[in-house]
């Protein structure tokens, strides 16, 4: 069964419309703040999903790449006085190099051993960030300069004049995050629909089958590991500029788990599914704050129940139900894209 | 010991454009053990280019292991494998695919997370442009080549008799169709040599008859076919040569007629 | 010099024994069901915290520990029955997330019941420490080592001498064959979860006089136990014990001679290095994958 929404629905325009509707319906600093963070994390997990959902390689340490992007930007702009764009590109390049170097040996591991190794890698990076205070500010964290392009600064505390309208900094940031998410999805979908994407899915489907028809599976695993790390790094950089202050919390095992949970919850191998996963998982704590001390318990319980009753994730399960009720229409779709 | 096979074995002229000429394969003193089990032991034989060469033997005789050794999934303990005279033992499967080796599996290896057509398109991997930037930016040339690839895959599905499954998801296909899907995927690589591991297992008699015709048609195109099969009627009907394995060793070798009358083979098959 | 080394060794072997118990729990569950139970660490927390609050209610120590273990055992069985068994068909990653959900739930529950403070259990023996060749050894360390040794022996006997133990072993080796021989797989898996929970709770109860306990200690201890199990090669009982001790000693030596800041990194560095050279751990089976 295909793990995506019925392919007749053009995902990207729908996503764009939803992104446009959010600030119209909820034009409020508080909601925009959440929406901006959700969009950045969603873009991150769209990248992670390429690795986990499509290629079937589990990473339990992906937050480390996110944090490295964030700290890379913070340190290059803060300590070394770079402007944000070269800084985040340089950070992404460093993360790509690191992912490439460690990915080569690590990705030979299979199943739980791979999970173990990525988990180990992530925690080591988290500990380094925590301990090397001279560079990273240590457990207390460090401030990050606002994002700017060619002298034009984007800060949530400012207001901007666009076509005669006054746009709050929060809204401007939300727009940037929305564009980033759309770009992230567009690139991910392009990749998936290409021979490279097919090779990746085959790694998950049957690695031997892929190999005997000539797919250099280790090459593709490494490629997608690096790509998903770059996704995380770039979004980490933007996240750092957005929040203006980062702590080692970004790199922790808990944060890695949060990222992988979003992927599994939304639906492995479903780009739009993981976006929905990001929305739900990040909104859940907001909804649960009313439960005060029971928040954590409720969160664990909901997570458990969702995965037990929808093991394939939210979107694939729901679209599966839809397909069952309208088998005709869905069957006749396909292959156009 | 056999000599290295000579290069002037007859090779049928290649009719269809683009398909490479059938490859010949020599196996020299090949051995592989798992713990104490000698799955393949000191095995030597030669497969002529363009032939249908059957490998038979009881369960556990080492047929699948032999395939895994030839196709690079296992490393041999000793011995050589020569493809068109070039040593290939221990070479990774993905490199062997570039040299025109392809195979199917006894235990299905189909990507259940993809459609039937996509599985076959996967087989075209080496023949496609795989430019990374073009993929990232959805270059129009890539779109066109994908469309052509899809057409080719559909054609192959029809060729193997899967015309009913052109739109199907692999996970929704019956066993017999999946076996043919694997053949279509293997053919998509445009192989010089194709190894089929028990393609008729689990098929009914009509499906087996169709498979028989299919294998003959593949061989007619000049592809060397190595066939592991338990269905003796099928084996005897279409093979040029038969190799009989027992406990990893060669028990007999020859034309179907010779093998049928070989006393060792009769003893092994009847005596248990 | 030597006294210093001995001091680190004592402390390493002590934590190593705890890791070994946790790793054995992982191994048991993994063998029976091929699930990595990320909630394993929470049973350590429950063992310590439940003992503590029972002591607070005036229950004598041995009974308190027994009841805490019983509570963990029940929770372990429930975890399997309610969360793992209904999702057996799911993807491995999905099962991982389910156990993570369970661990968050248990942690949340503990936080509601016991709050967020750190607590220490009293040492089991009156005398807190003894001196051995210039090094200080906590008497609690002896308790930990003794209890670990006893449990390891008991487990060894259980797996070689009892029918149930053999059934678990058979299931881990070949599920299909075991089923055909009449082993009730789901029962065996539940038993493995229960036993693992018991091991965790015992570890938690004996360790808390030294390591302190709070609602969130399960995360790190669980991860370290997982690392120990993977060092030993997931699924090997001997491997789990060796992996645990190795890890404990390596940590103590690093903290002593190199930097205590990087003590927690040792486990994860060790596992990376070991997996690079031995992709299936120290004692993992090295079979060629079948196709
Ligand atoms: N990966 C493996 N690990 C251990 N033993 C194997 C492996 N592959 C095959 N064997 C053993 O090698 C022998 C030959 O098996 P196989 O090649 O599958 O036989 P066949 O295909 O002729 O039925 C059998 O005894 C089998 O158990
Ligand atoms: Mg076989």
């Amino acid at each position: 069964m295909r793990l995506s929404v019925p392919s007749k629905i053009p995902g990207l325009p729908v996503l764009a419309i939803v992104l446009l509707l959010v600030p119209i319906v909820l034009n409020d600093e508080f909601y925009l703040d959440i929406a901006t963070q959700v969009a950045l994390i969603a873009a991150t997990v769209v990248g992670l999903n390429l690795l986990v959902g499509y290629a079937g390689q589990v990473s339990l340490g992906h937050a480390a790449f996110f944090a490295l992007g964030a700290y890379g930007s913070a340190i290059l702009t803060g300590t070394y006085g770079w402007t944000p764009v070269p800084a985040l590109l340089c950070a992404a390049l460093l993360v790509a190099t690191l992912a490439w170097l460690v990915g080569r040996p690590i990705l030979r591991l299979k199943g739980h051993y791979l999970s173990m190794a990525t988990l180990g890698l992530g925690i080591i990076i988290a500990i380094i960030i925590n301990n090397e205070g001279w560079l990273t500010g240590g457990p207390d964290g460090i401030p990050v300069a606002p994002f700017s392009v060619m002298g034009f600064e984007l800060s949530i505390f400012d207001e901007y004049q666009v076509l005669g309208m006054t746009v709050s900094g929060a809204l401007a940031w939300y727009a940037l995050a929305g564009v980033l998410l759309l770009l992230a999805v567009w690139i991910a979908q392009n990749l998936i629909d290409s021979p490279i994407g097919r090779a990746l899915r085959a790694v998950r489907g049957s690695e031997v089958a892929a190999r005997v028809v000539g797919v250099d599976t280790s090459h593709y695993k490494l490629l997608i590991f690096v790509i998903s790390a770059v996704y995380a790094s770039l979004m980490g950089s933007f996240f750092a500029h957005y929040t203006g202050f980062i702590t080692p919390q970004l790199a922790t095992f808990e944060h890695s788990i949060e990222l992988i949970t979003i992927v599994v919850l939304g639906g492995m191998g479903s780009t739009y599914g993981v976006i929905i996963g990001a929305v739900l998982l990040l909104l859940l704590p907001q909804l649960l704050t009313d439960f005060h001390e029971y928040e954590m318990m409720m969160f664990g319980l909901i997570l458990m129940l969702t995965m037990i009753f929808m093991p394939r994730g939210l979107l694939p399960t729901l679209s599966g139900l839809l397909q069952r009720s309208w088998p005709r229409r869905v069957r006749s779709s396909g292959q156009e894209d | 010991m056999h000599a290295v096979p000579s290069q002037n074995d007859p090779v049928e002229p290649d009719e269809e454009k683009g398909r490479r000429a059938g490859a010949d394969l020599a196996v020299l003193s090949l051995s592989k053990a798992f713990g104490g089990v000698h799955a393949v032991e000191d095995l030597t034989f030669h497969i002529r280019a363009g032939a249908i060469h059957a490998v038979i033997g009881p369960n556990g005789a080492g047929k699948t292991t032999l395939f895994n050794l030839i196709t690079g999934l296992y490393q041999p303990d000793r011995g050589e494998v020569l493809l068109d005279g070039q040593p290939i033992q221990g070479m990774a499967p993905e490199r062997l695919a570039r040299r025109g080796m392809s195979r199917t599996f006894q235990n299905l290896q189909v990507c259940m997370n993809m459609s039937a057509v996509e599985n076959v398109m996967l087989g075209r991997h080496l023949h496609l442009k795989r430019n990374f930037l073009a993929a990232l930016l959805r270059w129009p040339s890539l779109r066109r080549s994908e469309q052509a690839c899809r057409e080719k895959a559909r054609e192959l599905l029809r060729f193997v008799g899967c015309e009913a499954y052109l739109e199907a998801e692999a996970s929704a296909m019956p066993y017999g169709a999946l076996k043919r899907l694997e053949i279509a995927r293997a053919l998509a690589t445009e192989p010089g040599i194709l190894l089929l591991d028990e393609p008729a297992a689990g098929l009914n008699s009509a499906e087996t008859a169709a498979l028989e015709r299919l294998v003959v048609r593949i061989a007619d195109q000049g592809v060397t076919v190595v066939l592991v099969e338990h269905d003796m009627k099928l084996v005897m009907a279409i093979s040029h040569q038969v190799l009989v394995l027992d406990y990893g060793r060669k028990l007999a070798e020859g034309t179907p007629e010779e093998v049928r009358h070989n006393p060792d083979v009769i003893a092994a098959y009847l005596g248990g | 010099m030597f006294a210093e080394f001995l001091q680190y060794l004592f402390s390493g072997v002590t934590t190593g024994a705890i890791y070994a118990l946790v790793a054995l729990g992982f191994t048991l569950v993994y063998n029976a069901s091929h699930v990595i139970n990320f909630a394993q660490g929470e049973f350590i927390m429950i063992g310590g915290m439940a003992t503590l609050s029972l002591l607070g209610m005036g229950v004598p120590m041995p009974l308190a520990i027994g009841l805490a273990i019983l509570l963990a055992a029940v929770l372990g069985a429930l975890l399997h029955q309610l969360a793992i068994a209904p999702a057996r068909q799911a993807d491995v990653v999905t099962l991982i997330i389910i156990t993570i959900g369970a661990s968050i739930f248990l942690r949340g529950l503990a936080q509601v019941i016991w709050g967020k403070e750190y607590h220490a259990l009293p040492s089991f023996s009156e005398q807190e420490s003894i001196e051995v060749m210039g090094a200080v050894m906590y008497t609690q360390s002896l308790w930990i080592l003794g209890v670990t040794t006893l449990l390891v022996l008991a487990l060894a006997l259980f797996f070689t001498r009892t029918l149930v133990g053999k059934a678990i072993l058979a299931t881990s080796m070949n599920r299909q064959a075991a089923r055909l021989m009449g082993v009730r797989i789901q029962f065996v898996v539940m038993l493995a979860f229960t036993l693992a929970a018991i091991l965790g709770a015992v570890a938690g109860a004996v360790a808390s006089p030294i390591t302190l306990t709070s609602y969130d200690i399960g995360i790190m201890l669980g991860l370290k136990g997982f690392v120990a199990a993977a060092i030993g090669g997931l699924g090997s009982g001997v491997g789990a014990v060796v992996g645990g001790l190795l890890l404990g000693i390596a940590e103590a030596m690093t903290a002593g001679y190199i930097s205590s800041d990087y003590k927690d990194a040792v486990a994860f560095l060790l596992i990376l290095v070991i997996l690079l050279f031995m992709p299936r751990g120290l004692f993992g089976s090295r079979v060629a994958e079948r196709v």
Side-chain angles (χ1 to χ4, degrees), chain C residues 156-212:
Chain C
L157 284 179
F158 174 72
F159 282 118
T160 49
R161 298 289 159 82
T162 69
L163 202 60
V164 186
K166 285 177 185 167
I168 296 186
L169 271 190
T171 308
S172 73
M173 284 177 209
N174 189 335
R175 233 179 150 82
Q176 241 56 47
R179 196 192 308 276
L180 290 176
M181 279 158 50
V183 176
R184 281 158 59 212
I185 305 290
Q186 284 316 305
F187 175 72
V188 162
V189 177
M190 186 192 79
L191 208 68
F193 270 88
T194 312
L195 274 178
I198 291 176
L199 285 177
V202 173
V206 291
S208 356
I210 292 186
T211 60
L212 304 189

Side-chain angles (χ1 to χ4, degrees), chain A residues 28-336:
Chain A
D28 170 296
E29 302 273 305
F30 175 73
Y31 291 116
L32 281 180
D33 173 45
I34 295 175
T36 306
Q37 299 200 27
V38 168
L40 292 177
I41 297 294
T44 311
V45 292
V46 164
L48 179 58
N49 182 42
L50 291 173
L51 177 72
V52 180
Y54 286 99
Q57 308 298 305
V58 177
S59 167
L60 297 184
H62 232 61
F65 297 128
F66 187 89
L68 285 178
Y71 274 93
S73 277
I75 292 165
L76 287 174
T77 55
T79 316
Y80 297 98
W82 291 29
T83 52
V85 175
L88 68 87
L89 292 178
C90 179
L93 194 68
L94 289 175
V95 166
T97 313
L98 176 73
W100 186 77
L101 285 175
V102 295
R104 280 168 67 96
I106 277 186
L107 290 163
R108 284 187 322 196
L109 301 169
K110 297 211 187 311
H112 290 310
Y113 293 99
L114 177 67
S115 320
M116 185 75 250
T118 50
L119 181 154
L121 178 71
I123 294 183
I124 289 172
I125 291 174
I127 293 176
I128 293 175
I129 291 177
N130 205 44
N131 284 346
E132 301 305 315
W134 59 274
L135 186 65
T136 63
D140 299 334
I142 40 170
V144 192
F147 187 67
S148 67
V149 195
M150 299 192 293
F152 178 81
E153 194 176 283
L154 186 60
S155 160
I156 44 168
F157 303 112
D158 278 344
E159 286 191 339
Y160 303 90
Q161 298 299 324
V162 182
L163 304 171
M165 282 187 301
T166 309
V167 173
S168 70
L171 185 59
W173 250 108
Y174 169 75
L176 174 63
V179 170
L180 287 172
L181 175 58
L182 286 172
L183 259 177
V185 170
W186 184 66
I187 286 180
Q189 290 296 57
N190 289 352
L191 207 59
I192 291 157
D193 289 343
S194 75
I196 297 175
R198 190 159 51 238
L200 284 173
R201 278 180 297 155
V203 170
R204 179 165 180 214
S206 164
E207 194 167 345
V208 268
R211 292 184 70 192
V212 297
V213 295
V215 178
D216 185 346
T217 51
S218 13
H219 167 77
Y220 284 106
K221 282 195 254 181
L222 187 57
L223 178 74
I224 207 61
F225 187 65
V226 172
I227 290 175
S228 64
V230 168
Y231 260 86
S233 169
L234 289 174
M235 293 310 137
S237 293
F238 281 108
F239 187 87
H241 286 299
Y242 173 66
T243 53
F245 194 85
I246 53 174
T247 67
Q249 170 60 30
L250 289 184
T252 52
F253 172 64
E254 284 84 349
H255 194 214
S256 286
I257 289 299
E258 181 172 307
L259 294 178
I260 189 93
T261 302
I262 291 174
V263 173
V264 180
L265 185 73
M268 287 194 285
S270 161
T271 301
Y272 297 105
V274 301
I275 295 175
I276 296 176
V279 174
L280 292 182
L281 201 83
L282 298 177
L283 284 189
L284 197 54
Q286 306 290 337
L287 300 176
L288 291 178
T289 42
D290 285 347
F291 291 91
H292 303 293
E293 55 186 319
Y294 296 98
E295 180 188 332
M296 193 177 194
M297 228 173 95
M298 298 283 290
F299 183 85
L301 196 64
I302 292 174
L303 186 58
M304 238 177 6
L305 291 178
T306 319
M307 292 326 306
I308 291 171
F309 293 108
M310 300 183 168
R312 285 162 55 218
L314 287 166
L315 193 59
T317 307
L318 293 180
S319 75
L321 288 177
L322 277 180
Q323 293 199 6
R324 225 171 297 154
S325 42
W326 294 308
R328 265 294 146 58
R329 283 180 46 198
V330 178
R331 272 292 130 69
S332 60
S333 76
Q335 46 145 346
E336 288 321 297

Side-chain angles (χ1 to χ4, degrees), chain B residues 32-35 37-40 55-68 74 106 197-198 228 230 245 247-248, chain C residues 287-291:
Chain B
K32 176 77 181 177
F34 297 104
V37 181
H38 295 279
V40 168
V55 179
I56 63 170
N59 274 327
K63 307 178 294 291
T64 298
T65 304
L66 175 63
F67 271 24
N68 288 343
Y74 290 168
Q106 179 181 352
D197 198 347
E198 305 203 8
V228 162
H230 283 300
L245 293 186
Y247 293 110
Chain C
V287 288
E289 221 172 309
R290 278 192 194 222
V291 278

